[in-house]
Amino acid sequence: DAGVIQSPRHEVTEMGQEVTLRCKPISGHDYLFWYRQTMMRGLELLIYFNNNVPIDDSGMPEDRFSAKMPNASFSTLKIQPSEPRDSAVYFCGVRLIYGYTFGSGTRLTVV
Amino acid sequence: AQTVTQSQPEMSVQEAETVTLSCTYDTSENNYYLFWYKQPPSRQMILVIRQEAYKQQNATENRFSVNFQKAAKSFSLKISDSQLGDTAMYFCAFMSSSNTGKLIFGQGTTLQVKP
């Protein structure tokens, strides 16, 4: 689905390194979400934005995680420093008039 | 806070048979939306079906239908005539109609369709 483009698709990094995940959503959305998917916890909502403004970041696990949305067509999720337990698939999604659409996720592996 | 629970981590079904995936949720709201999403190995999240809580009629999309029991806060997905391409993880999700926009997912159920 070209509606939300996430990059990179896969990321392998060493513990302690900074990781930046990127999301380019289709236009016309009002909300943008970042989710983390693991086998143990399923899909966890980390943070979401409304019209580029962060609304709720209570799902962000630690201060090592931060997210920005400088404009309607771009958002980032940064982890600094990364740890092995951050290994997961990270999804970006948006709400449009007709419903939600998601990117294909970034699989992050921290070794 | 709203929660969504899928109590079946894994299920399997023979091709052409029918399978039902369970979902329960907890909310104090009267108006909301419920969804089922399919996630194949490609990781893409695909909307299967949606249900508005104010509608009593169960939603249906081809081979996919739901059994929405509002009083019991239950929202199960029935897949009829299962196909190999239905093999995927299925997520139940809840969205409040109070315009928070937040979509809350269950843990997911991995469905394996066997030939």
Side-chain angles (χ1 to χ4, degrees), chain B residues 46-97:
Chain B
I46 302 166
L47 177 64
V48 175
I49 200 165
R50 68 179 262 168
Q51 173 83 41
E52 291 88 348
Y54 63 86
K55 290 186 177 180
Q56 291 186 340
Q57 186 173 7
N58 289 325
T60 299
E61 289 288 341
N62 300 315
R63 298 182 295 107
F64 299 88
S65 62
V66 298
N67 182 7
F68 173 49
Q69 300 290 326
K70 191 172 183 180
K73 297 180 182 175
S74 171
F75 183 62
S76 61
L77 174 69
K78 185 171 80 171
I79 306 175
S80 304
D81 186 25
S82 298
Q83 301 176 359
L84 296 178
D86 296 334
T87 292
M89 180 167 279
Y90 288 81
F91 290 96
C92 179
F94 170 99
M95 188 195 84
S96 166
S97 64

Side-chain angles (χ1 to χ4, degrees), chain A residues 1 9-10 31 33 35 37 40-43 45 48 56 89 91 95 98 100 102-107, chain B residues 35 37 39 41-45 47 50 89 91 95-96 99-108 110:
Chain A
D1 187 339
R9 183 162 175 80
H10 303 278
Y31 287 91
F33 307 86
Y35 288 88
Q37 183 179 14
M40 291 297 294
R41 295 174 177 268
L43 275 161
L45 177 61
Y48 68 103
D56 184 353
V89 179
F91 284 95
R95 192 179 80 164
Y98 54 82
Y100 295 85
F102 297 88
S104 296
T106 294
R107 179 176 295 280
Chain B
F35 307 83
Y37 281 88
Q39 186 184 45
S42 67
R43 297 204 306 251
Q44 189 66 45
M45 295 289 280
L47 177 64
R50 68 179 262 168
M89 180 167 279
F91 290 96
M95 188 195 84
S96 166
N99 206 34
T100 64
K102 189 163 62 173
L103 193 61
I104 300 170
F105 287 93
Q107 296 286 88
T110 299

Side-chain angles (χ1 to χ4, degrees), chain A residues 3-4 23-33 49-52 69 71-75 93-97 99 101:
Chain A
V4 178
C23 175
K24 293 185 178 181
I26 192 172
S27 62
H29 62 83
D30 57 356
Y31 287 91
L32 182 140
F33 307 86
F49 297 82
N50 178 219
N51 294 325
N52 312 340
M69 191 166 183
N71 56 64
S73 58
F74 187 64
S75 178
V94 295
R95 192 179 80 164
L96 303 164
I97 292 175
T101 190

